Amino acid sequence: MRSFRLKYNLKQHESASSDALSNYAILLLFSALLYQAFFCFVNTHFFRITPSLLMLTEIVLLTGVVAFFIRGPISLKMLSLLVLVFANAFLLVIFQQHFDPKTIRNLMIPILIIWLGAQYNNKISPDQLLKYFTYIVIAVGLVEFILPAVYRIFFNVIEYQVATGRASDIAIEYSQGGFSMNGTRWGGRHLLPFLGDHRTSSVFLETVNMGNFGVLIACWGLSKKDIKSGLFFIAAAFAVAVLADSRFASTLITILLILRFLLPLKALEITSYLSPFLILLFCFYLYTPINMDDFKTRLGTTGYYILNFKASEFFGLSNYHYSMFVDQGYAYLIHFTGLTLPLIMWFSFCRLNMATNEGRIFKSLFGVLVAANLAISGDSIFSFKWVPIAWFLLGTLLIKKNNIAKG
C-alpha cells in the first residue's frame, strides 16, 4: 500500500510538473509572437521602449525555460551543446576582446526550445497552436492591408524601430505613414502588382519575418501524410507571402512544394542535410562585391565575404568587425562564432530522431528554410518573433523515451 501511494504521489507530481511546463510553453510562444507588437503599441501611445527592455524581456522568457530545463528531465546531449555554446563564447571573448550576448542567445534558443517542445504534453495540439498563430498573423495583416489608417493608430512602426535601434532617425523622413522602410516596395510589388506597393508586416512589424513565418507554416502543411489536412497551412502560407510581397517566401515555398512531391523521403533528407553546402557553393559561383537588394547579389555578396575571410575569421578569432553582414547570414555566423560550432550544431540537427515520417519531412523542409535564409538574410533566422515556434514544433515531433527526447 505504501509503495502504491508513493507511485501515485510521484505520478501526480509528474503530471502537475508537465502541466506547468506545457502552460509555460504556450505562454512563451504567444509572447514571442506578440511582444514586439505590444511594445510597439506602448511606444506609440505611452512611453519610449529601449533596446535593453527588449533584451530583458527575452532574457526573462528564456530564463523560464532554463528553470524547467534544470528541473529536468535533462537531455545530456542538449546539456552538452549548451556547455559548448558558453565555452565557445568565453573563448572568443578572449580573442575578439568584445562580448555580444546575442551570439550566446542565438545558439541557445534552438537547444532550449527543442527541449521544451519535446517535454510538451499536447495540452493544446501543436497543430491547433499553429492555427491560432496563423489566424492572428493573417487577421492583423488584413487589417493593416485593408485599413492601414486603423493599423497606424495602434502601431507607429518606424518610430518604434528608431527607438529600439532597428532604424536611424533619417528613416522617419523616408517611411510612408509610420510603416517601416521595407513596408513599401518602391520598385513596384512583385506578387500581384494590382494590390499596390504596400507590404504587410502584421504583428512582426517587419516584412522579412512575415515572409519567414509563411515558409514555416508551409513546411508544417507539406509535412502532413494526408496532404488534405495540410491544405489550410499551405494556402495560408501563400496568403502570408502575398500580403508581405515576399520574394523569398514565394520562391522558397514553391521550391519546397517541388522537393516534397518529387523526392522520396530519404532523398529529401539527404538534400536537406547537404543544403547549406550546396547553397554556399552557389554563393561562391555568384561571387560579387556589389551589395544590392536582390537575390543574386545577396547570394553573391555572401560568397564574396566568405571567400575573402582571413584564417582567423573561420575560427571566430578576429577582433576587427568590419561589417555586421546584414544580408549575409553565413558570413555573420562564421565571423562572430567561428565555423566549428555551427557545424557541430548542424550535425546535431541532422541527427535528431523524429518519431514519424511526418516529423522527418518537417525537419527536412525546415532545414532547407534555415539553409536558404542564412544565404540572403543576416540574423532573421535567429528572430525571437517566429523562430521559437519553429523549434518548438520540431521538438514536439521527436522520439521520446521515458519523457526524454533522444538526439
Side-chain angles (χ1 to χ4, degrees), residues 106-117:
N106 289 346
L107 298 179
M108 278 181 60
I109 287 175
I111 301 170
L112 290 173
I113 305 301
I114 287 175
W115 175 87
L116 187 68

Side-chain angles (χ1 to χ4, degrees), residues 322-336:
Y322 51 88
S323 173
M324 293 305 294
F325 309 104
V326 175
D327 295 322
Q328 298 82 27
Y330 286 106
Y332 168 83
L333 197 57
I334 294 170
H335 178 85
F336 287 101

Side-chain angles (χ1 to χ4, degrees), residues 185-196:
R185 181 73 79 182
W186 300 102
R189 174 180 279 267
H190 287 264
L191 304 174
L192 306 183
F194 64 87
L195 294 176

Side-chain angles (χ1 to χ4, degrees), residues 235-267:
F238 278 109
V240 169
V242 169
L243 283 170
D245 191 41
S246 173
R247 296 169 297 185
F248 173 76
S250 59
T251 302
L252 192 55
I253 291 170
T254 303
I255 291 172
L256 293 177
L257 273 165
I258 295 170
L259 292 176
R260 169 68 173 90
F261 293 113
L262 287 187
L263 296 182
L265 178 53
K266 195 63 181 177

Side-chain angles (χ1 to χ4, degrees), residues 102-159:
K102 281 183 65 178
T103 58
I104 295 178
R105 170 258 197 205
N106 289 346
L107 298 179
M108 278 181 60
I109 287 175
I111 301 170
L112 290 173
I113 305 301
I114 287 175
W115 175 87
L116 187 68
Q119 311 311 316
Y120 183 64
N121 68 2
N122 280 18
K123 190 165 190 177
I124 302 174
S125 74
D127 208 65
Q128 193 60 47
L129 270 176
L130 190 57
K131 282 185 178 178
Y132 290 150
F133 300 145
T134 303
Y135 292 145
I136 292 170
V137 169
I138 291 180
V140 176
L142 286 173
V143 170
E144 178 187 351
F145 185 76
I146 299 171
L147 301 169
V150 173
Y151 182 88
R152 287 196 300 265
I153 291 173
F154 293 96
F155 309 111
N156 189 315
V157 177
I158 191 63
E159 287 189 358

Side-chain angles (χ1 to χ4, degrees), residues 285-305:
Y285 172 75
L286 293 175
Y287 177 98
T288 176
I290 302 171
N291 195 354
M292 295 175 63
D293 189 24
D294 59 58
F295 274 168
K296 184 177 180 180
T297 51
R298 284 191 183 189
L299 294 169
T301 51
T302 291
Y304 169 81
Y305 276 119

